[in-house]
């Protein structure tokens, strides 16, 4: 599995390109995660460099800095066919107008007009083969938004940031897309519409007790971390484990 991290100028949101090992005799397929604004050339260049065919787009939640260019990226499917765009069901309503649910927070970059994807789908409960050779399990984790979730996987992994290899494991390891649920040393804010501080505490408590602490986390902002590191040092996780 190859994972590329590309950071957007739109609130420094992390977008990702995930490319599983292709089946024998087939071209590699890819998933683009959280296609933010301002990085279309980098996303396309990554797919082209990998010789990968876009097969799906995955949105960890519905905030505009994580979804803004999802329809444009989805149009890069084979023969310019729109690929499916997956999102946790409780956040699907946000894609009518994502900017309407962030209290008019300024984007601080110039945004193209919002376009809703044609083929928008709810990510199914439980495990799902999102594309060939990429199984992910959604763990609902509301608090930042109603549909916020972790997406759990287990595989060998090569991780690239700015084109440079930053982590590698030839053996299968647990890893997860943590969106804006949990960051290195912090968590997603809960004061925007749909946020709930109590739900966030419950989600963090559940994650810290139910998910393998060795799990490598790829958050929606900031550097990668591990769940164990957050259990040990993140004050929000410590508080959640103490009072729930």
């Amino acid at each position: 599995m190859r994972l590329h991290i590309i950071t957007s100028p739109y609130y420094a949101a992390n977008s990702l390109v995930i490319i599983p090992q292709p089946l024998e005799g087939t071209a590699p397929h890819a998933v683009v995660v959280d296609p933010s604004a301002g990085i279309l050339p980098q996303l396309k260049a990554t797919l082209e460099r990998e010789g990968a065919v876009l097969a799906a787009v995955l949105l960890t939640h519905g905030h505009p800095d994580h979804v803004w260019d999802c329809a444009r990226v989805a149009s890069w499917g084979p023969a310019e066919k729109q690929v499916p765009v997956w999102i946790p069901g409780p956040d699907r309503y946000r894609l009518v107008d994502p900017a309407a649910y962030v209290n008019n927070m300024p984007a601080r970059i110039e945004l193209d007009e919002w376009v809703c994807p044609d083929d928008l789908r709810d990510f199914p409960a439980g495990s799902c083969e999102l594309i060939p050779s990429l199984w992910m399990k959604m763990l609902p984790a509301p608090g930042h938004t109603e549909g916020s979730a972790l997406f759990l996987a287990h595989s060998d992994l090569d991780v690239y940031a700015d084109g440079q290899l930053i982590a590698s494991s030839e053996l299968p390891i647990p890893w997860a897309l943590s969106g804006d649920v949990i960051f290195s040393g912090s968590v997603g804010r809960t004061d925007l519409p749909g946020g709930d501080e109590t739900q966030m505490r419950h989600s963090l408590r559940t994650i810290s007790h139910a998910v393998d602490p060795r799990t490598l986390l790829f958050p929606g902002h900031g550097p990668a971390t591990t769940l164990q590191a957050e259990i040990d040092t993140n004050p929000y996780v410590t508080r959640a484990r103490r009072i729930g």
Side-chain angles (χ1 to χ4, degrees):
M1 195 83 64
R2 296 163 71 84
L3 187 152
H4 296 264
I5 303 169
I6 301 168
T7 303
S8 164
Y10 192 2
Y11 286 100
N14 290 329
S15 298
L16 302 100
V17 180
I18 303 174
I19 305 168
Q21 183 69 26
L23 300 174
E24 186 174 353
T26 65
H29 287 69
V31 174
V32 171
V33 180
D34 287 356
S36 187
I39 53 170
L40 288 177
Q42 294 96 312
L43 291 171
K44 180 165 279 190
T46 300
L47 292 170
E48 291 175 349
R49 187 167 59 250
E50 289 279 3
V53 177
L54 180 69
V57 173
L58 173 62
L59 308 177
T60 59
H61 63 292
H63 278 159
D65 53 330
H66 294 264
V67 308
W68 200 261
D69 276 341
C70 64
R72 295 174 180 87
V73 171
S75 69
W76 297 347
E80 299 184 352
K81 179 182 177 182
Q82 291 269 338
V83 302
V85 176
W86 298 91
I87 188 169
D91 268 17
R92 183 173 180 152
Y93 77 96
R94 294 174 176 271
L95 268 65
V96 174
D97 182 4
Y101 300 100
V102 289
N103 288 342
N104 298 315
M105 288 174 57
R108 298 177 183 161
I109 67 168
E110 185 174 350
L111 296 174
D112 293 330
E113 182 180 359
W114 166 248
V115 179
C116 187
D118 292 339
D119 187 358
L120 185 60
R121 306 182 186 184
D122 293 355
F123 196 98
S127 297
C128 171
E129 189 177 27
L130 192 59
I131 63 172
S133 300
L134 177 59
W135 284 87
M136 306 200 84
K137 183 175 184 178
M138 183 178 72
L139 174 62
H144 180 62
T145 66
E146 305 94 326
S148 288
L150 263 64
F151 294 85
L152 307 170
H154 193 270
S155 71
D156 61 297
L157 197 62
D158 289 331
V159 183
Y160 296 82
D162 298 322
Q164 301 297 313
L165 183 66
I166 62 169
S168 181
S169 175
E170 294 183 359
L171 297 176
I173 60 171
W175 56 276
L177 312 175
S178 61
D180 283 7
V181 177
I182 183 168
F183 309 134
S184 176
S186 188
V187 297
R189 58 190 295 181
T190 58
D191 60 337
L192 296 173
D196 187 296
E197 195 270 338
T198 300
Q199 282 193 321
M200 176 64 89
R201 289 202 318 270
H202 293 339
S203 293
L204 293 173
R205 181 182 62 183
T206 298
I207 290 165
S208 69
H209 287 291
V211 176
D212 187 335
R214 298 171 299 172
T215 300
L216 183 59
L217 301 177
F218 297 101
H221 303 267
T225 183
T226 65
L227 180 56
Q228 186 65 65
E230 301 315 304
I231 291 170
D232 292 343
T233 65
N234 189 316
Y236 297 93
V237 177
T238 299
R239 182 170 183 265
R241 287 166 65 89
R242 185 177 72 249
I243 68 174

